[in-house]
């Protein structure tokens, strides 16, 4: 998958060290223009974990100019900035990447071993040995890619929109679609699905 244009300047700093893994040099502070562009992204609410996460500064944001509907819009935290893509990966693990994408029906079985759960009041799936979480809210899916389960779990509790009003506490808006979950669903997950608007997932027996 090609690199995002908005990350090109940050990645150039790390090119010399790419073969060896993560760069040890810190990326420059995020420019105000990039942050402003993210704050007026028009198509849907883009989620982030605030200007800092677990001591890691916001390093880069995607905006309208680099937006690809199939990939969504992302925010990136940490000293080591490398594009991980919609399902993570890459040799340089960020402490945190949050990607928001318009939800389209997809098979969660492709995520590998996973656990369905409820986070901030909405259905979610935890996968990649706990380092990745996908939450279903509003019209979007919010994908958290992290280096540890602790970071992924903490980020899920701090999500809020960067381009709309919202809070990092309390429940997220319920999805307006029925996410296609894979695998067992406990009582909490089934209850969350039953409460979706207009019973879009149908009633359980």
């Amino acid at each position: 998958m090609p690199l995002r244009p908005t990350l090109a300047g940050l990645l150039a700093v790390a090119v010399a060290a790419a073969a060896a893994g993560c760069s040890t040099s810190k990326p420059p502070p995020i420019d105000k223009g990039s942050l402003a562009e993210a704050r007026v992204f028009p198509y849907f609410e883009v989620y982030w974990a605030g200007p800092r996460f677990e001591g890691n500064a916001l390093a880069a944001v995607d905006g309208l100019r680099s937006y690809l509907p199939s990939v969504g819009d992302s925010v990136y935290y940490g000293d080591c900035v490398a594009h991980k893509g919609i399902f993570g990966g890459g040799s340089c693990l960020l402490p945190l990447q949050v990607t928001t994408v318009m939800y389209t029906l997809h098979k969660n079985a492709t995520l590998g071993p996973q656990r369905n759960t409820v986070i901030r009041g909405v259905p979610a799936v935890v996968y990649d040995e706990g380092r990745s979480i996908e939450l279903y809210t509003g019209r979007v899916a919010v994908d958290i890619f992290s280096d540890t389960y602790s970071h992924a779990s903490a980020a899920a509790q701090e999500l809020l929109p960067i381009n709309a009003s919202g809070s990092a506490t309390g429940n997220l808006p319920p999805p307006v679609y029925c996410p296609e979950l894979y695998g067992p669903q406990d009582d909490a997950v089934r209850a969350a699905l039953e409460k979706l608007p207009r019973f879009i997932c149908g009633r359980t027996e």
Side-chain angles (χ1 to χ4, degrees), residues 105-130:
L105 195 63
H106 60 270
K107 303 288 187 180
N108 279 1
T110 61
L111 300 178
Q114 59 195 267
R115 174 174 59 89
N116 295 314
T117 187
V118 176
I119 299 176
R120 305 273 299 275
V122 299
V125 58
V126 179
Y127 64 103
D128 189 25
E129 298 182 347

Side-chain angles (χ1 to χ4, degrees), residues 78-161:
D79 296 342
C80 175
V81 178
H83 182 59
K84 294 179 66 180
I86 192 65
F87 291 116
S91 61
C92 187
L93 291 178
L94 294 166
L96 179 65
Q97 172 183 332
V98 181
T99 297
T100 309
V101 63
M102 284 290 291
Y103 181 82
T104 57
L105 195 63
H106 60 270
K107 303 288 187 180
N108 279 1
T110 61
L111 300 178
Q114 59 195 267
R115 174 174 59 89
N116 295 314
T117 187
V118 176
I119 299 176
R120 305 273 299 275
V122 299
V125 58
V126 179
Y127 64 103
D128 189 25
E129 298 182 347
R131 293 185 294 266
S132 299
I133 301 174
E134 184 169 78
L135 298 92
Y136 307 104
T137 177
R139 297 179 296 141
V140 302
V142 182
D143 288 280
I144 296 171
F145 305 120
S146 191
D147 54 352
T148 66
Y149 168 74
S150 177
H151 280 158
S153 180
Q157 298 301 324
E158 298 179 25
L159 291 175
L160 74 163

Side-chain angles (χ1 to χ4, degrees), residues 38-48 160-165:
R39 290 191 183 278
V40 296
F41 185 80
Y43 299 141
F44 49 79
E45 293 184 349
V46 174
Y47 283 83
W48 71 330
L160 74 163
I162 192 173
N163 59 337
S165 60

Side-chain angles (χ1 to χ4, degrees), residues 22 24 51 72 90 118 134 141-142 168 173 177-178 190:
C22 293
T24 57
V118 176
E134 184 169 78
V142 182
Y177 54 84
C178 184
R190 288 194 293 271

Side-chain angles (χ1 to χ4, degrees), residues 42-64:
Y43 299 141
F44 49 79
E45 293 184 349
V46 174
Y47 283 83
W48 71 330
R52 296 189 68 85
F53 172 76
E54 300 284 313
N56 295 290
L58 181 68
V61 297
D62 293 332
L64 185 58

